[in-house]
Structures are given as C-alpha cells and as structure tokens.
Amino acid sequence: MNLEIRAKRPFKFHSVISSHGWSALAPFVWNAETGALQRTEMLTSGRVVLLTLRESKNGIAVTVRGRVNQRERQELMEKIAWMFSLDLDLNEFYAAVANEPRLAHVQREAHGRFLRSSTVWEDVVKVMMTTNIQWSGTKRLVRVLVETFGAPYQNGGDGIPDAFPSPEPIARTRESRLRKLGLGYRSPYLLQLARGVVSGKYDLDALKDFTRPTDEVRKALLALPGIGPYAAATLLMLLGRYEFLGVDTEALSSVSRGFYGGKPIGEKEVQAAFARWGKFKALAYWFWDWDKS
DNA sequence: TTCCAGGGGTAGA
DNA sequence: TCTACCCATGGA
C-alpha cells in the first residue's frame, strides 16, 4: 500500500533525517543512496509492518509492506506525522533568527524538525541510552534491545530489524538480564521505567500535551528513572519545546571554543551564551554554525 | 593501561 | 541549590 502525507512548508525530508542521530538507531534504517528511510513498526493491534519513507512533492511518500485495515492505516499516518513533525510551523523561529548570520542557513535548509520515534516511550529509552556513553555504544545498546525484546516483522526478509519493543517484555525481564546485555548501571533505570509505564505510574503520552506548561512537562521528565537535566532537555526538544539546553560534554567544548576563547566553562556559561534566543534556545544551539565567526 | 563518554542518583553542605 | 562521589561498560 502507498500513502502520501502532506507536510507544512517549508519541509525537507533530508533535513529531518540529518537533524540528529536517530536515523542511525534501530529499528530505523537509513539508506543515503536511495534516500529511503525504513522502519519496522508495531501497531497497537500488535501487527508489525515495514515502512519505507521517501521525500515526495508535498511531504512524504510511504510504502507499507504488510496488510493493514482502515484504522491501522490511520494510526500509521498519525505516527509518521508525529515522527516528522509534519504539522510544525517554524516561521516564528525563522523570523527570530533572521538577522543572525550563524543561523542564516536554517530557513533555507528547513531546519527545526527533529526525527522522532513513533512513541514517546521509545524516545525516552533511546535518550536514556545516550547518557554517559559514546555514540557507538548507544547504537549497540538500542540494537540489542530491539533484537532481544522487539517483535519481528512476520513476512521476514534479510536484515529487517524487529520493531522497537513495547514496555511489556522489558517490564517482565530481570535486571540481571539487562546487565548481561551490556546496559550497565542503566539496567535498573530502564526496568523501573518499563514497569512504571506498564503499571500506569508514568503516562508518557501525556508529555505530548501541548496545553501543559513546559516546566510541568520538564518536572515529569525529571521524575522518570535515569532521566536527569541533560536527558530531560533533549526530550523537551524532541517534544517541540526549546527553552532548555541539554548540556553534554560536546556543548561544553564547542561553546567554550565559540564564546569563551577556549577556557574551561560549566553549564551556566553554556546556558548564558544562548539565553538571548529565549524559547528557541535549543534550536539556536543545535543549528549554530560554529565555523562562521 | 588509563581515561572517559551526547550523565544520573544520592548524600551532605 | 550546589558539589563530591559512585556508578558499569566499552572505545580510544
């Protein structure tokens, strides 16, 4: 089955793909040569389908492999619209940074949409897997979680990853098993998170509610096991809220070089350097052109 | 071998 | 609110 989903302009498929590292994490498979993003997706019915997404004239062209009914088709359209922030209006951001040379490229490149997973649960887990680890390790841990707990695409096929696991199979496992998979001290955090989601203690979908103030959403994120200031800021950014900056070791070094002449700085200095961008702080930092002076 | 990563939790001030 | 310290694992 083929679908086309329209995007609010300006929209560039590749800008979303390259927005951050998510397209390299299972069950996403990005093929730069063909320009196709593949993803194995489990629907709420439990059915697992294979999606292939490409840029189209007005948005995204979707190929679905696997039978879906009308309701599942609607679910897929909504999930894809969420993953690519197709309804996001970035014009206020572009206007706010129009006079900043180091952000001159953002409108031209249609920057500002971050590739998201189809559920907040998956994004929370993935952000947790980026903490205190190198990117190669993040990719490995996510792949191991998908291989161990994910639901397979029934129609088979070589090299097609399983769908990202729902919280249930992880909630049923033991901490020792997660440790054996290499998650280290993240193991109890992931286990508590999965069990809390299954029990209803944590309502992750409620974090998408844009009528809630950002501070409230941030507090809810910080209350999750294994989610601290950095992870909460990163997740807020993925949720379309840009007031907070996720300060990691990379931010410390690039802001030190770009704003403080290379002298050692702390988180405060990073926040101060981008304070002027207000509610677009995270966007300004993320797309800052460090090569321009 | 040592250091540390796209940090978080906790205790103590 | 801020700091010091510990935490598991694998890459460099």
Side-chain angles (χ1 to χ4, degrees), chain A residues 104-119:
Chain A
H105 59 291
V106 292
Q107 182 165 12
R108 186 175 66 244
E109 299 300 326
H111 282 317
R113 292 180 176 87
F114 295 95
L115 182 63
R116 299 191 269 222
S117 307
S118 61
T119 63

Side-chain angles (χ1 to χ4, degrees), chain A residues 65-125:
Chain A
R65 282 164 63 190
R67 292 181 72 84
V68 290
N69 60 33
Q70 186 63 29
R71 171 181 264 178
E72 291 167 331
R73 177 176 175 277
Q74 183 61 30
E75 182 183 341
L76 281 176
M77 304 244 317
E78 288 169 8
K79 281 183 162 174
I80 293 164
W82 170 258
M83 286 191 271
F84 280 78
S85 306
L86 294 183
D87 297 327
L88 184 62
D89 189 339
L90 290 158
N91 288 312
E92 192 186 347
F93 167 56
Y94 296 151
V97 304
N99 294 322
E100 171 53 63
R102 282 158 293 196
L103 292 170
H105 59 291
V106 292
Q107 182 165 12
R108 186 175 66 244
E109 299 300 326
H111 282 317
R113 292 180 176 87
F114 295 95
L115 182 63
R116 299 191 269 222
S117 307
S118 61
T119 63
V120 178
W121 148 256
E122 182 177 333
D123 277 339
V124 172
V125 172

Side-chain angles (χ1 to χ4, degrees), chain A residues 219-263:
Chain A
K219 277 181 188 166
L221 286 167
L222 290 171
L224 300 174
I227 302 300
Y230 159 78
T234 303
L235 284 162
L236 282 175
M237 192 172 81
L238 290 180
L239 290 166
R241 300 166 185 266
Y242 314 111
E243 296 95 312
F244 291 89
L245 217 54
V247 177
D248 51 25
T249 53
E250 174 60 30
L252 290 174
S253 75
S254 52
V255 173
S256 166
R257 277 182 277 115
F259 289 83
Y260 297 93
K263 74 171 185 182

Side-chain angles (χ1 to χ4, degrees), chain A residues 1 6 23 31 59 73 104-105 115 119 136 144 170 173 191 197 209 229 235:
Chain A
M1 183 181 61
R6 298 180 70 92
S23 62
N31 186 327
R73 177 176 175 277
H105 59 291
L115 182 63
T119 63
S136 60
V144 163
I170 295 177
T173 196
L191 194 57
V197 170
D209 181 357
L235 284 162

Side-chain angles (χ1 to χ4, degrees), chain A residues 22-258:
Chain A
W22 257 214
S23 62
L25 296 181
F28 282 120
V29 178
W30 166 242
N31 186 327
E33 287 178 11
T34 63
L37 181 72
Q38 180 188 294
R39 176 180 166 89
T40 315
E41 183 69 32
M42 184 165 72
L43 296 156
T44 52
S45 61
R47 196 193 304 276
V48 179
V49 297
L50 183 61
L51 306 175
T52 305
L53 313 175
R54 292 185 181 82
E55 176 147 37
S56 69
K57 190 180 174 196
N58 295 311
I60 299 178
V62 185
T63 302
V64 184
R65 282 164 63 190
R67 292 181 72 84
V68 290
N69 60 33
Q70 186 63 29
R71 171 181 264 178
E72 291 167 331
R73 177 176 175 277
Q74 183 61 30
E75 182 183 341
L76 281 176
M77 304 244 317
E78 288 169 8
K79 281 183 162 174
I80 293 164
W82 170 258
M83 286 191 271
F84 280 78
S85 306
L86 294 183
D87 297 327
L88 184 62
D89 189 339
L90 290 158
N91 288 312
E92 192 186 347
F93 167 56
Y94 296 151
V97 304
N99 294 322
E100 171 53 63
R102 282 158 293 196
L103 292 170
H105 59 291
V106 292
Q107 182 165 12
R108 186 175 66 244
E109 299 300 326
H111 282 317
R113 292 180 176 87
F114 295 95
L115 182 63
R116 299 191 269 222
S117 307
S118 61
T119 63
V120 178
W121 148 256
E122 182 177 333
D123 277 339
V124 172
V125 172
K126 285 179 170 173
V127 170
M128 190 187 289
M129 296 304 134
T130 69
T131 59
N132 201 21
I133 192 172
Q134 297 180 99
W135 181 242
S136 60
T138 298
K139 289 195 281 190
R140 176 173 45 80
L141 294 183
V142 171
R143 188 173 62 242
V144 163
L145 287 174
V146 167
E147 286 170 355
T148 308
F149 300 104
Y153 171 62
Q154 288 91 344
N155 294 11
D158 286 340
I160 296 177
D162 296 342
F164 193 83
S166 61
E168 284 80 5
I170 295 177
R172 283 194 297 268
T173 196
R174 294 167 183 272
E175 185 182 320
S176 59
R177 177 132 193 255
L178 295 178
R179 285 187 185 273
K180 277 179 192 163
L181 295 175
L183 270 72
Y185 64 85
R186 302 170 193 81
S187 303
Y189 303 151
L190 178 62
L191 194 57
Q192 287 167 39
L193 177 73
R195 289 181 176 169
V197 170
V198 170
S199 74
K201 179 179 180 184
Y202 303 128
D203 183 0
L204 300 184
D205 287 326
L207 301 174
K208 293 162 80 170
D209 181 357
F210 231 80
T211 65
R212 297 174 71 183
T214 297
D215 276 326
E216 187 185 314
V217 175
R218 181 168 179 269
K219 277 181 188 166
L221 286 167
L222 290 171
L224 300 174
I227 302 300
Y230 159 78
T234 303
L235 284 162
L236 282 175
M237 192 172 81
L238 290 180
L239 290 166
R241 300 166 185 266
Y242 314 111
E243 296 95 312
F244 291 89
L245 217 54
V247 177
D248 51 25
T249 53
E250 174 60 30
L252 290 174
S253 75
S254 52
V255 173
S256 166
R257 277 182 277 115

